[in-house]
Amino acid sequence: KRMNKDRYLVVVSGPSGCGKDTVVRRLRALHPEIELSVSATSRPMRAGEAEGVDYYYMSREEFQQKIQAGEILEHAEYSGNLYGTPKSEVDKRIGQGRTVVLVIEVEGAGNIRKLYPEATTVFLMPPSMEQLEARLRGRGTEDEASIQRRLARAREEMEYAPLYTTTLVNDEVEACADRLYEIIRQRQQA
Ligand code: ADP
Ligand code: 5GP
């Protein structure tokens, strides 16, 4: 039976602060064979982040040159900055049967779905809007204006949840990472 390589591609979306990075970090700690796609971004580096680990940081001009050169698989504008998936992060790896996770917002996920119709796509939900705001504030990385933009965008983003293969509520990190792993495994065996 022919394996559909699209299924090795896993998209995780969800409102900013719902816990995507935390859950994916836990998933990879439990299952180190799962790889992460490192995105390009024009947003400034946050404290604690590192070049090539969290993102490839670049100016808007540099980002646009990469789009022109065809090096970016999908990209979107989010909260005033460009974010995109370098082609080099994806095709070779899934071709080799390696599982690659993209943590991207909803428009980018839509573009990935067009390119890879069988991709495994998971929408991570916060337990409540109150929890979302508390997590976003608790992370301590955004100023008030950025928090407000992200919360306003969250309500719009959650309307995209039905387009995903699965919706998961991130109530507890460990349990959520386990459920995410089960979804990935089941899709690859189907
Ligand atoms: P995202 O990547 O979706 O923007 P983060 O992974 O940065 O979100 O998480 C935002 C904040 O919420 C972080 O401070 C993180 O430690 C916290 N967090 C994540 N998941 C949970 C959870 N299940 N319960 C409580 N706090 C969480
Ligand atoms: P943050 O600034 O919090 O790291 O990310 C903001 C949003 O951009 C998040 O929803 C994140 O998932 C999304 N994002 C990160 N990388 C990419 C990417 O390569 N493409 C798209 N479309 N969105 C991305």
Side-chain angles (χ1 to χ4, degrees):
K1 154 178 140 214
R2 191 178 162 275
M3 282 286 234
N4 192 324
K5 296 292 187 193
D6 290 14
R7 292 187 176 212
Y8 286 94
L9 193 56
V10 178
V11 171
V12 176
S13 299
S16 181
C18 75
K20 300 179 294 297
D21 287 339
T22 305
V23 169
V24 170
R25 202 177 305 125
R26 188 69 203 137
L27 172 74
R28 295 182 64 231
L30 294 167
H31 307 283
E33 74 282 7
I34 295 179
E35 300 181 19
L36 184 66
S37 163
V38 179
S39 295
T41 186
S42 69
R43 89 148 157 72
M45 195 184 284
R46 286 179 192 145
E49 291 184 342
E51 166 71 22
V53 177
D54 299 282
Y55 285 103
Y56 299 107
Y57 301 87
M58 60 193 70
S59 67
R60 191 168 262 276
E61 293 66 38
E62 212 181 321
F63 198 118
Q64 252 133 15
Q65 279 164 17
K66 289 198 185 295
I67 296 171
Q68 295 299 316
E71 293 172 24
I72 304 290
L73 196 55
E74 63 73 32
H75 69 279
E77 180 103 21
Y78 179 91
S79 203
N81 288 298
L82 289 169
Y83 294 83
T85 307
K87 274 189 187 155
S88 55
E89 296 287 307
V90 174
D91 283 334
K92 185 164 165 237
R93 290 166 166 181
I94 62 170
Q96 293 171 339
R98 289 143 75 186
T99 300
V100 180
V101 179
L102 310 186
V103 182
I104 64 177
E105 52 69 66
V106 295
E107 284 174 45
N111 290 327
I112 291 293
R113 215 178 269 117
K114 281 180 205 146
L115 294 168
Y116 306 90
E118 293 289 308
T120 302
T121 63
V122 178
F123 194 91
L124 210 56
M125 281 281 187
S128 66
M129 285 305 286
E130 289 70 27
Q131 276 294 315
L132 180 67
E133 181 164 354
R135 286 180 191 177
L136 202 48
R137 289 188 186 283
R139 193 172 65 188
T141 55
E142 312 302 313
D143 61 24
E144 186 60 26
S146 177
I147 289 173
Q148 291 307 331
R149 271 201 307 277
R150 285 165 187 254
L151 288 175
R153 181 66 184 143
R155 295 175 191 282
E156 299 169 352
E157 287 171 320
M158 290 194 296
E159 293 175 11
Y160 288 74
L163 301 176
Y164 287 70
T165 43
T166 314
T167 296
L168 274 183
V169 178
N170 177 20
D171 39 19
E172 200 274 315
V173 176
E174 189 82 28
C176 193
D178 285 345
R179 279 177 287 157
L180 180 55
Y181 181 70
E182 271 314 299
I183 291 160
I184 294 170
R185 208 181 54 82
Q186 281 175 10
R187 292 266 306 164
Q188 288 180 350
Q189 287 174 351

